[in-house]
């Protein structure tokens, strides 16, 4: 039980990767706050994880300053401390740059970047009081590499690496570390939605999107799994010294090699 007595907030944990991260933390003894836009989904995951002794759902739009402040206070108030923030909530929107809708560009940047900033700011206030904590950002191979049709996503995911480095530098004096996990394609609702969209934009079949676009550069043609990503997040979250701070780890079946 690597995280016995610890408390983690995971944003976007009503679904996909975040849900698996929350599950892994509970398995390792942590109590977890499932923070999500989707209150019903967050409550359902908390219930699956054993109810409020292990997990609670908190409704939060990570782009809304007031909702983040209230949600993070509720989370910290409920379990009395905060050891880990996983800033994971995210969306994907694909379109070529020349047609990209400005409102959609701003929405995507707000969820990934404003969301990371607002939840980090609230988490740091508590972590600094405790003189310890770990922040893990959900990056992507697109934190390091670009793909067509994903301008705001690639921009936002690169930005998270910058934010993590600042948190690492400012947080060190207060015992707080920050790192980024950068997955390749993982079969979640976010990716399932993209497959037909990309097929349409690129004029190819859905099968070709998977084989020729998503997995072409991997060493084995395999999707990364939610369990792979959760393992990397817990590794960063539980690391015991400042030797690992301001870093990013790519988990992508060799799609991107540093
Ligand atoms: P998902 O769609 O399964 O889950 C995303 C969750 O975020 C949902 O529960 C949704 O309700 C929540 N959310 C969306 N907007 C929100 C907001 N404004 N406030 C609070 N919650 C909000 O997606 P996923 O694939 O699990 O993605 C999770 C993270 O992993 C994202 O940051 C994504 O960019 C990243 N990622 C995913 C993949 C992949 O292939 N699936 C690869 C690399 C990185």
């Amino acid at each position: 039980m690597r995280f016995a007595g610890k408390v983690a907030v995971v944003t976007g944990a009503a679904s996909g990767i975040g849900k698996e991260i929350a599950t892994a933390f509970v398995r390792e003894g942590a109590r977890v706050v499932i923070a999500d836009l989707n209150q019903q989904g967050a409550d359902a995951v908390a219930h699956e994880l054993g109810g409020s002794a292990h997990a609670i759902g908190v409704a939060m739009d990570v782009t809304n300053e007031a909702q983040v402040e209230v949600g993070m206070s509720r989370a910290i108030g409920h379990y009395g401390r905060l050891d880990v923030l996983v800033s994971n909530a995210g969306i994907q929107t694909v379109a070529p740059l020349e047609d990209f809708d400005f409102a959609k560009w701003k929405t995507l940047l707000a969820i990934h970047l404003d969301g990371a900033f607002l939840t980090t700011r609230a988490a740091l206030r508590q972590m600094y009081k405790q003189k310890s904590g770990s922040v893990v950002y959900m990056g992507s191979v697109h934190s390091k590499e670009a793909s067509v049709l994903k301008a705001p996503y690639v921009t936002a995911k690169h930005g998270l690496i910058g934010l993590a480095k600042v948190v690492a530098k400012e947080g060190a004096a207060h015992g707080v570390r920050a790192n980024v996990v950068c997955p390749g394609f993982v079969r979640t609702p976010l990716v399932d939605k993209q497959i037909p969209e990309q097929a349409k934009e690129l004029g190819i079949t859905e099968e070709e999107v998977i084989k020729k676009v998503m997995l072409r550069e991997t060493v084995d043609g395999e999707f990364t799994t939610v369990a792979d990503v959760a393992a990397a997040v817990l590794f960063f979250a539980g690391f015991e010294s400042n030797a690992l701070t301001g870093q990013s780890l790519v988990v992508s079946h060799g799609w991107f090699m540093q």
Side-chain angles (χ1 to χ4, degrees):
M1 297 282 243
R2 276 186 290 162
F3 290 92
K6 305 283 188 194
V7 176
V9 170
V10 185
T11 69
S15 172
I17 292 171
K19 180 179 176 184
E20 183 64 23
I21 293 166
T23 305
F25 272 119
V26 168
R27 200 185 302 127
E28 290 293 340
R31 287 161 295 163
V32 178
V33 177
I34 318 289
D36 205 288
L37 194 58
N38 172 0
Q39 161 106 60
Q40 234 184 343
D43 290 344
V45 172
H47 181 72
E48 261 180 61
L49 294 178
S52 70
H54 302 284
I56 57 164
V58 167
M60 184 193 291
D61 176 348
V62 296
T63 69
N64 181 307
E65 184 175 15
Q67 285 188 29
V68 171
E69 290 291 312
V70 170
M72 292 295 285
S73 299
R74 223 194 113 204
I76 294 161
H78 188 83
Y79 289 125
R81 57 183 293 115
L82 179 61
D83 301 286
V84 180
L85 167 69
V86 184
S87 171
N88 166 77
I91 61 162
Q92 177 64 278
T93 309
V94 294
L97 258 175
E98 70 274 21
D99 295 332
F100 221 107
D101 180 74
F102 187 37
K104 286 185 179 164
W105 163 276
K106 284 197 279 194
T107 299
L108 193 146
L109 289 186
I111 294 173
H112 291 266
L113 292 178
D114 297 359
F117 161 67
L118 290 171
T119 51
T120 298
R121 190 179 63 177
L124 290 183
R125 292 183 186 132
Q126 176 66 21
M127 289 173 175
Y128 285 5
K129 277 191 222 155
Q130 295 173 197
K131 300 197 182 339
S132 72
S134 173
V135 182
V136 183
Y137 296 98
M138 193 51 60
S140 163
V141 164
H142 289 112
S143 299
K144 313 264 179 181
E145 181 57 278
S147 291
V148 295
L149 308 178
K150 297 188 175 175
Y153 190 81
V154 170
T155 303
K157 290 303 193 189
H158 275 67
L160 289 175
I161 294 203
L163 177 61
K165 288 178 178 174
V166 177
V167 176
K169 291 205 171 191
E170 291 191 9
H174 307 274
V176 173
R177 296 176 303 106
N179 293 289
V180 188
V181 172
C182 301
F185 283 101
V186 184
R187 235 22 229 271
T188 66
L190 178 141
V191 161
D192 287 338
K193 173 177 165 283
Q194 272 175 70
I195 295 169
E197 288 174 356
Q198 289 217 33
K200 193 168 162 231
E201 287 288 350
L202 298 171
I204 57 178
T205 66
E206 294 189 15
E207 190 64 17
E208 286 172 323
V209 170
I210 293 173
K211 289 211 165 121
K212 296 190 178 161
V213 178
M214 294 183 163
L215 303 180
R216 192 185 62 190
E217 302 292 337
T218 62
V219 295
D220 53 9
E222 298 279 337
F223 278 101
T224 299
T225 67
V226 289
D228 295 328
V229 181
V233 169
L234 267 68
F235 172 71
F236 269 142
F239 202 80
E240 301 223 336
S241 81
N242 279 340
L244 270 189
T245 194
Q247 304 304 307
S248 51
L249 179 65
V250 178
V251 186
S252 72
H253 284 251
W255 165 16
F256 181 83
M257 297 189 190
Q258 281 172 309

